[in-house]
PDB file of all heavy atoms in Angstrom:
ATOM      1  N   GLU A 334      -7.206 -14.256  17.395  1.00 41.00           N
ATOM      2  CA  GLU A 334      -7.700 -15.242  16.421  1.00 41.00           C
ATOM      3  C   GLU A 334      -6.505 -15.422  15.471  1.00 41.00           C
ATOM      4  O   GLU A 334      -6.609 -16.497  14.730  1.00 41.00           O
ATOM      5  CB  GLU A 334      -8.822 -14.609  15.724  1.00 41.00           C
ATOM      6  CG  GLU A 334     -10.108 -14.460  16.629  1.00 41.00           C
ATOM      7  CD  GLU A 334     -11.087 -13.779  15.949  1.00 41.00           C
ATOM      8  OE1 GLU A 334     -11.004 -13.448  14.735  1.00 41.00           O
ATOM      9  OE2 GLU A 334     -12.166 -13.465  16.569  1.00 41.00           O
ATOM     10  N   GLY A 335      -5.536 -14.588  15.467  1.00 41.00           N
ATOM     11  CA  GLY A 335      -4.630 -14.617  14.276  1.00 41.00           C
ATOM     12  C   GLY A 335      -3.330 -15.556  14.574  1.00 41.00           C
ATOM     13  O   GLY A 335      -2.856 -16.068  13.667  1.00 41.00           O
ATOM     14  N   HIS A 336      -2.953 -15.787  15.872  1.00 44.00           N
ATOM     15  CA  HIS A 336      -1.908 -16.631  16.063  1.00 44.00           C
ATOM     16  C   HIS A 336      -1.862 -17.287  17.439  1.00 44.00           C
ATOM     17  O   HIS A 336      -2.737 -16.900  18.366  1.00 44.00           O
ATOM     18  CB  HIS A 336      -0.523 -15.867  15.832  1.00 44.00           C
ATOM     19  CG  HIS A 336      -0.390 -14.525  16.711  1.00 44.00           C
ATOM     20  ND1 HIS A 336      -0.949 -13.442  16.210  1.00 44.00           N
ATOM     21  CD2 HIS A 336       0.161 -14.491  17.882  1.00 44.00           C
ATOM     22  CE1 HIS A 336      -0.723 -12.434  17.180  1.00 44.00           C
ATOM     23  NE2 HIS A 336      -0.076 -13.095  18.178  1.00 44.00           N
ATOM     24  N   TRP A 337      -0.942 -18.145  17.556  1.00 50.00           N
ATOM     25  CA  TRP A 337      -0.919 -18.958  18.815  1.00 50.00           C
ATOM     26  C   TRP A 337      -0.726 -18.150  20.200  1.00 50.00           C
ATOM     27  O   TRP A 337       0.038 -17.191  20.081  1.00 50.00           O
ATOM     28  CB  TRP A 337       0.203 -20.005  18.618  1.00 50.00           C
ATOM     29  CG  TRP A 337       0.398 -20.756  19.969  1.00 50.00           C
ATOM     30  CD1 TRP A 337      -0.433 -21.705  20.487  1.00 50.00           C
ATOM     31  CD2 TRP A 337       1.554 -20.857  20.666  1.00 50.00           C
ATOM     32  NE1 TRP A 337       0.022 -22.176  21.629  1.00 50.00           N
ATOM     33  CE2 TRP A 337       1.478 -21.769  21.700  1.00 50.00           C
ATOM     34  CE3 TRP A 337       2.909 -20.256  20.703  1.00 50.00           C
ATOM     35  CZ2 TRP A 337       2.406 -22.080  22.608  1.00 50.00           C
ATOM     36  CZ3 TRP A 337       3.831 -20.502  21.529  1.00 50.00           C
ATOM     37  CH2 TRP A 337       3.616 -21.482  22.652  1.00 50.00           C
ATOM     38  N   MET A 338      -1.422 -18.381  21.106  1.00 64.00           N
ATOM     39  CA  MET A 338      -1.436 -17.680  22.402  1.00 64.00           C
ATOM     40  C   MET A 338      -0.206 -18.221  23.304  1.00 64.00           C
ATOM     41  O   MET A 338       0.035 -19.370  23.489  1.00 64.00           O
ATOM     42  CB  MET A 338      -2.665 -17.913  23.188  1.00 64.00           C
ATOM     43  CG  MET A 338      -2.743 -16.932  24.380  1.00 64.00           C
ATOM     44  SD  MET A 338      -3.261 -15.320  23.834  1.00 64.00           S
ATOM     45  CE  MET A 338      -3.472 -14.615  25.515  1.00 64.00           C
ATOM     46  N   LEU A 339       0.597 -17.288  23.682  1.00 73.00           N
ATOM     47  CA  LEU A 339       1.765 -17.546  24.448  1.00 73.00           C
ATOM     48  C   LEU A 339       1.340 -18.053  25.955  1.00 73.00           C
ATOM     49  O   LEU A 339       0.305 -17.428  26.392  1.00 73.00           O
ATOM     50  CB  LEU A 339       2.749 -16.391  24.540  1.00 73.00           C
ATOM     51  CG  LEU A 339       3.357 -16.018  23.183  1.00 73.00           C
ATOM     52  CD1 LEU A 339       4.282 -14.788  23.558  1.00 73.00           C
ATOM     53  CD2 LEU A 339       4.426 -17.006  22.731  1.00 73.00           C
ATOM     54  N   PRO A 340       2.111 -18.835  26.492  1.00 86.00           N
ATOM     55  CA  PRO A 340       1.674 -19.280  27.936  1.00 86.00           C
ATOM     56  C   PRO A 340       1.749 -18.154  28.866  1.00 86.00           C
ATOM     57  O   PRO A 340       2.545 -17.260  28.828  1.00 86.00           O
ATOM     58  CB  PRO A 340       2.666 -20.409  28.251  1.00 86.00           C
ATOM     59  CG  PRO A 340       3.854 -20.217  27.286  1.00 86.00           C
ATOM     60  CD  PRO A 340       3.367 -19.644  26.108  1.00 86.00           C
ATOM     61  N   ASP A 341       0.876 -18.190  29.957  1.00 87.00           N
ATOM     62  CA  ASP A 341       0.888 -17.130  30.935  1.00 87.00           C
ATOM     63  C   ASP A 341       2.127 -16.981  31.597  1.00 87.00           C
ATOM     64  O   ASP A 341       2.662 -15.793  31.882  1.00 87.00           O
ATOM     65  CB  ASP A 341      -0.250 -17.395  31.987  1.00 87.00           C
ATOM     66  CG  ASP A 341      -1.649 -17.224  31.354  1.00 87.00           C
ATOM     67  OD1 ASP A 341      -1.754 -16.587  30.342  1.00 87.00           O
ATOM     68  OD2 ASP A 341      -2.583 -17.768  32.038  1.00 87.00           O
ATOM     69  N   TRP A 342       2.959 -17.950  31.953  1.00 91.00           N
ATOM     70  CA  TRP A 342       4.134 -17.739  32.798  1.00 91.00           C
ATOM     71  C   TRP A 342       5.158 -16.938  31.815  1.00 91.00           C
ATOM     72  O   TRP A 342       5.823 -16.199  32.413  1.00 91.00           O
ATOM     73  CB  TRP A 342       4.692 -19.152  33.107  1.00 91.00           C
ATOM     74  CG  TRP A 342       5.172 -20.044  31.894  1.00 91.00           C
ATOM     75  CD1 TRP A 342       4.487 -20.963  31.298  1.00 91.00           C
ATOM     76  CD2 TRP A 342       6.465 -19.924  31.203  1.00 91.00           C
ATOM     77  NE1 TRP A 342       5.203 -21.472  30.243  1.00 91.00           N
ATOM     78  CE2 TRP A 342       6.511 -20.934  30.187  1.00 91.00           C
ATOM     79  CE3 TRP A 342       7.712 -19.104  31.422  1.00 91.00           C
ATOM     80  CZ2 TRP A 342       7.455 -21.176  29.473  1.00 91.00           C
ATOM     81  CZ3 TRP A 342       8.681 -19.375  30.538  1.00 91.00           C
ATOM     82  CH2 TRP A 342       8.757 -20.311  29.628  1.00 91.00           C
ATOM     83  N   LEU A 343       5.149 -17.186  30.528  1.00 89.00           N
ATOM     84  CA  LEU A 343       6.095 -16.547  29.701  1.00 89.00           C
ATOM     85  C   LEU A 343       5.641 -15.017  29.532  1.00 89.00           C
ATOM     86  O   LEU A 343       6.621 -14.066  29.638  1.00 89.00           O
ATOM     87  CB  LEU A 343       6.122 -17.081  28.243  1.00 89.00           C
ATOM     88  CG  LEU A 343       7.050 -16.514  27.248  1.00 89.00           C
ATOM     89  CD1 LEU A 343       8.368 -16.421  27.804  1.00 89.00           C
ATOM     90  CD2 LEU A 343       6.944 -17.149  25.998  1.00 89.00           C
ATOM     91  N   ARG A 344       4.389 -14.765  29.498  1.00 88.00           N
ATOM     92  CA  ARG A 344       4.000 -13.356  29.256  1.00 88.00           C
ATOM     93  C   ARG A 344       4.245 -12.539  30.598  1.00 88.00           C
ATOM     94  O   ARG A 344       4.577 -11.391  30.451  1.00 88.00           O
ATOM     95  CB  ARG A 344       2.378 -13.534  28.961  1.00 88.00           C
ATOM     96  CG  ARG A 344       2.159 -14.062  27.616  1.00 88.00           C
ATOM     97  CD  ARG A 344       0.729 -14.509  27.385  1.00 88.00           C
ATOM     98  NE  ARG A 344      -0.151 -13.297  27.230  1.00 88.00           N
ATOM     99  CZ  ARG A 344      -1.188 -13.008  28.007  1.00 88.00           C
ATOM    100  NH1 ARG A 344      -1.502 -13.784  28.962  1.00 88.00           N
ATOM    101  NH2 ARG A 344      -1.843 -11.892  27.888  1.00 88.00           N
ATOM    102  N   TRP A 345       3.780 -13.100  31.786  1.00 93.00           N
ATOM    103  CA  TRP A 345       3.969 -12.489  33.012  1.00 93.00           C
ATOM    104  C   TRP A 345       5.599 -12.349  33.232  1.00 93.00           C
ATOM    105  O   TRP A 345       5.897 -11.292  33.883  1.00 93.00           O
ATOM    106  CB  TRP A 345       3.333 -13.282  34.120  1.00 93.00           C
ATOM    107  CG  TRP A 345       1.771 -12.918  34.147  1.00 93.00           C
ATOM    108  CD1 TRP A 345       0.724 -13.569  33.661  1.00 93.00           C
ATOM    109  CD2 TRP A 345       1.267 -11.752  34.868  1.00 93.00           C
ATOM    110  NE1 TRP A 345      -0.340 -12.908  34.051  1.00 93.00           N
ATOM    111  CE2 TRP A 345      -0.203 -11.799  34.703  1.00 93.00           C
ATOM    112  CE3 TRP A 345       1.767 -10.613  35.371  1.00 93.00           C
ATOM    113  CZ2 TRP A 345      -0.943 -10.873  35.118  1.00 93.00           C
ATOM    114  CZ3 TRP A 345       0.959  -9.675  35.961  1.00 93.00           C
ATOM    115  CH2 TRP A 345      -0.536  -9.819  35.870  1.00 93.00           C
ATOM    116  N   GLY A 346       6.280 -13.418  33.107  1.00 93.00           N
ATOM    117  CA  GLY A 346       7.744 -13.367  33.369  1.00 93.00           C
ATOM    118  C   GLY A 346       8.341 -12.214  32.459  1.00 93.00           C
ATOM    119  O   GLY A 346       9.159 -11.445  33.010  1.00 93.00           O
ATOM    120  N   SER A 347       7.955 -12.186  31.270  1.00 91.00           N
ATOM    121  CA  SER A 347       8.474 -11.105  30.425  1.00 91.00           C
ATOM    122  C   SER A 347       8.147  -9.752  30.842  1.00 91.00           C
ATOM    123  O   SER A 347       9.001  -8.727  30.740  1.00 91.00           O
ATOM    124  CB  SER A 347       7.969 -11.341  28.889  1.00 91.00           C
ATOM    125  OG  SER A 347       8.473 -12.598  28.407  1.00 91.00           O
ATOM    126  N   SER A 348       6.897  -9.482  31.243  1.00 91.00           N
ATOM    127  CA  SER A 348       6.406  -8.234  31.812  1.00 91.00           C
ATOM    128  C   SER A 348       7.180  -7.861  33.021  1.00 91.00           C
ATOM    129  O   SER A 348       7.647  -6.776  33.172  1.00 91.00           O
ATOM    130  CB  SER A 348       4.929  -8.290  32.079  1.00 91.00           C
ATOM    131  OG  SER A 348       4.209  -8.643  30.845  1.00 91.00           O
ATOM    132  N   ILE A 349       7.295  -8.842  33.909  1.00 94.00           N
ATOM    133  CA  ILE A 349       8.072  -8.385  35.109  1.00 94.00           C
ATOM    134  C   ILE A 349       9.479  -8.105  34.820  1.00 94.00           C
ATOM    135  O   ILE A 349      10.136  -7.060  35.399  1.00 94.00           O
ATOM    136  CB  ILE A 349       8.066  -9.691  36.234  1.00 94.00           C
ATOM    137  CG1 ILE A 349       6.655  -9.670  36.602  1.00 94.00           C
ATOM    138  CG2 ILE A 349       8.994  -9.428  37.302  1.00 94.00           C
ATOM    139  CD1 ILE A 349       6.349 -11.136  37.525  1.00 94.00           C
ATOM    140  N   ALA A 350      10.273  -8.834  33.834  1.00 93.00           N
ATOM    141  CA  ALA A 350      11.608  -8.569  33.503  1.00 93.00           C
ATOM    142  C   ALA A 350      11.689  -7.233  32.827  1.00 93.00           C
ATOM    143  O   ALA A 350      12.579  -6.516  33.100  1.00 93.00           O
ATOM    144  CB  ALA A 350      12.097  -9.735  32.592  1.00 93.00           C
ATOM    145  N   LEU A 351      10.685  -6.844  32.014  1.00 90.00           N
ATOM    146  CA  LEU A 351      10.762  -5.558  31.341  1.00 90.00           C
ATOM    147  C   LEU A 351      10.572  -4.435  32.310  1.00 90.00           C
ATOM    148  O   LEU A 351      11.305  -3.526  32.174  1.00 90.00           O
ATOM    149  CB  LEU A 351       9.587  -5.550  30.338  1.00 90.00           C
ATOM    150  CG  LEU A 351       9.527  -4.265  29.502  1.00 90.00           C
ATOM    151  CD1 LEU A 351      10.789  -4.035  28.721  1.00 90.00           C
ATOM    152  CD2 LEU A 351       8.210  -4.308  28.561  1.00 90.00           C
ATOM    153  N   VAL A 352       9.659  -4.601  33.180  1.00 93.00           N
ATOM    154  CA  VAL A 352       9.448  -3.502  34.227  1.00 93.00           C
ATOM    155  C   VAL A 352      10.717  -3.285  35.095  1.00 93.00           C
ATOM    156  O   VAL A 352      11.165  -2.233  35.331  1.00 93.00           O
ATOM    157  CB  VAL A 352       8.309  -3.880  35.178  1.00 93.00           C
ATOM    158  CG1 VAL A 352       8.375  -2.893  36.323  1.00 93.00           C
ATOM    159  CG2 VAL A 352       6.984  -3.770  34.367  1.00 93.00           C
ATOM    160  N   LEU A 353      11.460  -4.445  35.531  1.00 94.00           N
ATOM    161  CA  LEU A 353      12.597  -4.388  36.272  1.00 94.00           C
ATOM    162  C   LEU A 353      13.819  -3.700  35.457  1.00 94.00           C
ATOM    163  O   LEU A 353      14.547  -2.913  36.091  1.00 94.00           O
ATOM    164  CB  LEU A 353      12.968  -5.707  36.772  1.00 94.00           C
ATOM    165  CG  LEU A 353      12.188  -6.346  37.842  1.00 94.00           C
ATOM    166  CD1 LEU A 353      12.553  -7.643  38.195  1.00 94.00           C
ATOM    167  CD2 LEU A 353      12.088  -5.593  39.023  1.00 94.00           C
ATOM    168  N   LEU A 354      13.872  -3.978  34.244  1.00 92.00           N
ATOM    169  CA  LEU A 354      14.854  -3.419  33.431  1.00 92.00           C
ATOM    170  C   LEU A 354      14.661  -1.881  33.140  1.00 92.00           C
ATOM    171  O   LEU A 354      15.693  -1.101  33.184  1.00 92.00           O
ATOM    172  CB  LEU A 354      14.864  -4.207  31.986  1.00 92.00           C
ATOM    173  CG  LEU A 354      15.486  -5.544  31.967  1.00 92.00           C
ATOM    174  CD1 LEU A 354      15.297  -6.268  30.628  1.00 92.00           C
ATOM    175  CD2 LEU A 354      17.012  -5.532  32.078  1.00 92.00           C
TER     176      LEU A 354
END
Side-chain angles (χ1 to χ4, degrees):
E334 295 174 1
H336 56 272
W337 176 63
M338 190 75 173
L339 294 173
D341 285 341
W342 66 265
L343 179 59
R344 296 163 71 238
W345 277 99
S347 299
S348 296
I349 293 170
L351 179 61
V352 170
L353 292 175
L354 286 168

